mmCIF file of all heavy atoms in Angstrom:
data_model
loop_
_atom_site.group_PDB
_atom_site.id
_atom_site.type_symbol
_atom_site.label_atom_id
_atom_site.label_comp_id
_atom_site.label_asym_id
_atom_site.label_seq_id
_atom_site.Cartn_x
_atom_site.Cartn_y
_atom_site.Cartn_z
ATOM 1 N N ILE A 406 -36.416 2.748 -75.375
ATOM 2 C CA ILE A 406 -37.508 1.772 -75.505
ATOM 3 C C ILE A 406 -37.796 1.560 -76.985
ATOM 4 O O ILE A 406 -38.135 2.517 -77.696
ATOM 5 C CB ILE A 406 -38.770 2.320 -74.796
ATOM 6 C CG1 ILE A 406 -38.514 2.447 -73.288
ATOM 7 C CG2 ILE A 406 -39.984 1.452 -75.081
ATOM 8 C CD1 ILE A 406 -39.438 3.405 -72.586
ATOM 9 N N ASP A 407 -37.657 0.326 -77.432
ATOM 10 C CA ASP A 407 -37.988 0.102 -78.842
ATOM 11 C C ASP A 407 -39.457 -0.319 -78.990
ATOM 12 O O ASP A 407 -40.173 -0.505 -77.997
ATOM 13 C CB ASP A 407 -37.016 -0.889 -79.507
ATOM 14 C CG ASP A 407 -37.047 -2.240 -78.826
ATOM 15 O OD1 ASP A 407 -38.070 -2.544 -78.199
ATOM 16 O OD2 ASP A 407 -36.055 -2.985 -78.928
ATOM 17 N N GLY A 408 -39.871 -0.427 -80.224
ATOM 18 C CA GLY A 408 -41.299 -0.640 -80.502
ATOM 19 C C GLY A 408 -41.861 -1.916 -79.899
ATOM 20 O O GLY A 408 -43.002 -1.944 -79.430
ATOM 21 N N ALA A 409 -41.041 -2.985 -79.897
ATOM 22 C CA ALA A 409 -41.529 -4.261 -79.363
ATOM 23 C C ALA A 409 -41.811 -4.123 -77.867
ATOM 24 O O ALA A 409 -42.855 -4.563 -77.373
ATOM 25 C CB ALA A 409 -40.492 -5.350 -79.613
ATOM 26 N N LEU A 410 -40.872 -3.472 -77.159
ATOM 27 C CA LEU A 410 -41.044 -3.306 -75.714
ATOM 28 C C LEU A 410 -42.250 -2.407 -75.405
ATOM 29 O O LEU A 410 -43.053 -2.688 -74.506
ATOM 30 C CB LEU A 410 -39.767 -2.709 -75.100
ATOM 31 C CG LEU A 410 -39.672 -2.771 -73.588
ATOM 32 C CD1 LEU A 410 -39.579 -4.218 -73.121
ATOM 33 C CD2 LEU A 410 -38.461 -1.992 -73.083
ATOM 34 N N ALA A 411 -42.377 -1.344 -76.179
ATOM 35 C CA ALA A 411 -43.495 -0.414 -75.953
ATOM 36 C C ALA A 411 -44.824 -1.128 -76.166
ATOM 37 O O ALA A 411 -45.782 -0.951 -75.399
ATOM 38 C CB ALA A 411 -43.372 0.777 -76.895
ATOM 39 N N THR A 412 -44.893 -1.957 -77.182
ATOM 40 C CA THR A 412 -46.143 -2.659 -77.462
ATOM 41 C C THR A 412 -46.430 -3.695 -76.380
ATOM 42 O O THR A 412 -47.583 -3.882 -75.970
ATOM 43 C CB THR A 412 -46.080 -3.295 -78.869
ATOM 44 O OG1 THR A 412 -45.741 -2.253 -79.787
ATOM 45 C CG2 THR A 412 -47.404 -3.902 -79.280
ATOM 46 N N ARG A 413 -45.359 -4.371 -75.883
ATOM 47 C CA ARG A 413 -45.558 -5.331 -74.765
ATOM 48 C C ARG A 413 -46.103 -4.593 -73.535
ATOM 49 O O ARG A 413 -46.969 -5.103 -72.832
ATOM 50 C CB ARG A 413 -44.234 -6.010 -74.405
ATOM 51 C CG ARG A 413 -43.845 -7.053 -75.401
ATOM 52 C CD ARG A 413 -42.699 -7.938 -74.906
ATOM 53 N NE ARG A 413 -42.290 -8.793 -76.013
ATOM 54 C CZ ARG A 413 -41.196 -8.595 -76.749
ATOM 55 N NH1 ARG A 413 -40.358 -7.628 -76.458
ATOM 56 N NH2 ARG A 413 -40.929 -9.393 -77.766
ATOM 57 N N PHE A 414 -45.571 -3.405 -73.275
ATOM 58 C CA PHE A 414 -46.045 -2.623 -72.133
ATOM 59 C C PHE A 414 -47.530 -2.307 -72.303
ATOM 60 O O PHE A 414 -48.333 -2.480 -71.386
ATOM 61 C CB PHE A 414 -45.231 -1.313 -72.026
ATOM 62 C CG PHE A 414 -45.636 -0.425 -70.880
ATOM 63 C CD1 PHE A 414 -44.966 -0.493 -69.660
ATOM 64 C CD2 PHE A 414 -46.671 0.494 -70.998
ATOM 65 C CE1 PHE A 414 -45.323 0.329 -68.590
ATOM 66 C CE2 PHE A 414 -47.043 1.314 -69.943
ATOM 67 C CZ PHE A 414 -46.363 1.225 -68.729
ATOM 68 N N ASN A 415 -47.897 -1.870 -73.498
ATOM 69 C CA ASN A 415 -49.299 -1.516 -73.762
ATOM 70 C C ASN A 415 -50.222 -2.717 -73.601
ATOM 71 O O ASN A 415 -51.303 -2.619 -73.020
ATOM 72 C CB ASN A 415 -49.437 -0.972 -75.191
ATOM 73 C CG ASN A 415 -49.353 0.542 -75.235
ATOM 74 O OD1 ASN A 415 -49.343 1.196 -74.191
ATOM 75 N ND2 ASN A 415 -49.292 1.102 -76.426
ATOM 76 N N VAL A 416 -49.772 -3.854 -74.125
ATOM 77 C CA VAL A 416 -50.590 -5.073 -74.029
ATOM 78 C C VAL A 416 -50.767 -5.450 -72.565
ATOM 79 O O VAL A 416 -51.876 -5.782 -72.111
ATOM 80 C CB VAL A 416 -49.933 -6.230 -74.837
ATOM 81 C CG1 VAL A 416 -50.592 -7.564 -74.528
ATOM 82 C CG2 VAL A 416 -50.007 -5.926 -76.335
ATOM 83 N N CYS A 417 -49.680 -5.370 -71.805
ATOM 84 C CA CYS A 417 -49.730 -5.684 -70.370
ATOM 85 C C CYS A 417 -50.705 -4.739 -69.652
ATOM 86 O O CYS A 417 -51.552 -5.182 -68.868
ATOM 87 C CB CYS A 417 -48.321 -5.558 -69.790
ATOM 88 S SG CYS A 417 -48.278 -5.545 -67.991
ATOM 89 N N LEU A 418 -50.594 -3.446 -69.947
ATOM 90 C CA LEU A 418 -51.467 -2.471 -69.288
ATOM 91 C C LEU A 418 -52.934 -2.746 -69.626
ATOM 92 O O LEU A 418 -53.816 -2.696 -68.756
ATOM 93 C CB LEU A 418 -51.066 -1.053 -69.720
ATOM 94 C CG LEU A 418 -51.811 0.094 -69.071
ATOM 95 C CD1 LEU A 418 -51.620 0.083 -67.555
ATOM 96 C CD2 LEU A 418 -51.344 1.437 -69.644
ATOM 97 N N ALA A 419 -53.184 -3.064 -70.893
ATOM 98 C CA ALA A 419 -54.563 -3.345 -71.307
ATOM 99 C C ALA A 419 -55.105 -4.586 -70.577
ATOM 100 O O ALA A 419 -56.266 -4.620 -70.170
ATOM 101 C CB ALA A 419 -54.621 -3.550 -72.824
ATOM 102 N N GLN A 420 -54.240 -5.586 -70.377
ATOM 103 C CA GLN A 420 -54.674 -6.802 -69.645
ATOM 104 C C GLN A 420 -54.985 -6.470 -68.189
ATOM 105 O O GLN A 420 -55.949 -6.971 -67.614
ATOM 106 C CB GLN A 420 -53.583 -7.868 -69.707
ATOM 107 C CG GLN A 420 -53.541 -8.603 -71.038
ATOM 108 C CD GLN A 420 -52.335 -9.527 -71.137
ATOM 109 O OE1 GLN A 420 -51.422 -9.455 -70.321
ATOM 110 N NE2 GLN A 420 -52.340 -10.384 -72.143
ATOM 111 N N LEU A 421 -54.155 -5.635 -67.599
ATOM 112 C CA LEU A 421 -54.383 -5.254 -66.195
ATOM 113 C C LEU A 421 -55.723 -4.529 -66.047
ATOM 114 O O LEU A 421 -56.470 -4.747 -65.093
ATOM 115 C CB LEU A 421 -53.247 -4.350 -65.699
ATOM 116 C CG LEU A 421 -51.869 -5.007 -65.537
ATOM 117 C CD1 LEU A 421 -50.773 -3.953 -65.407
ATOM 118 C CD2 LEU A 421 -51.867 -5.915 -64.306
ATOM 119 N N LEU A 422 -56.019 -3.671 -67.018
ATOM 120 C CA LEU A 422 -57.273 -2.908 -66.937
ATOM 121 C C LEU A 422 -58.485 -3.801 -67.255
ATOM 122 O O LEU A 422 -59.568 -3.607 -66.696
ATOM 123 C CB LEU A 422 -57.228 -1.716 -67.905
ATOM 124 C CG LEU A 422 -56.197 -0.634 -67.540
ATOM 125 C CD1 LEU A 422 -55.998 0.338 -68.699
ATOM 126 C CD2 LEU A 422 -56.631 0.122 -66.285
ATOM 127 N N ALA A 423 -58.266 -4.779 -68.135
ATOM 128 C CA ALA A 423 -59.366 -5.673 -68.507
ATOM 129 C C ALA A 423 -59.745 -6.575 -67.334
ATOM 130 O O ALA A 423 -60.914 -6.932 -67.163
ATOM 131 C CB ALA A 423 -58.972 -6.510 -69.720
ATOM 132 N N ASP A 424 -58.765 -6.959 -66.540
ATOM 133 C CA ASP A 424 -59.027 -7.796 -65.368
ATOM 134 C C ASP A 424 -58.163 -7.262 -64.225
ATOM 135 O O ASP A 424 -57.009 -7.651 -64.071
ATOM 136 C CB ASP A 424 -58.681 -9.257 -65.673
ATOM 137 C CG ASP A 424 -59.084 -10.165 -64.515
ATOM 138 O OD1 ASP A 424 -59.397 -9.634 -63.432
ATOM 139 O OD2 ASP A 424 -59.073 -11.392 -64.702
ATOM 140 N N PHE A 425 -58.735 -6.358 -63.464
ATOM 141 C CA PHE A 425 -57.950 -5.603 -62.487
ATOM 142 C C PHE A 425 -57.374 -6.484 -61.376
ATOM 143 O O PHE A 425 -56.452 -6.067 -60.679
ATOM 144 C CB PHE A 425 -58.798 -4.459 -61.898
ATOM 145 C CG PHE A 425 -57.957 -3.277 -61.493
ATOM 146 C CD1 PHE A 425 -57.471 -2.385 -62.430
ATOM 147 C CD2 PHE A 425 -57.629 -3.059 -60.157
ATOM 148 C CE1 PHE A 425 -56.681 -1.307 -62.074
ATOM 149 C CE2 PHE A 425 -56.839 -1.984 -59.784
ATOM 150 C CZ PHE A 425 -56.367 -1.105 -60.746
#
Side-chain angles (χ1 to χ4, degrees):
I406 295 159
D407 60 24
L410 193 66
T412 306
R413 284 192 187 103
F414 180 95
N415 266 352
V416 168
C417 167
L418 183 60
Q420 282 173 348
L421 291 165
L422 293 167
D424 186 348
F425 210 78

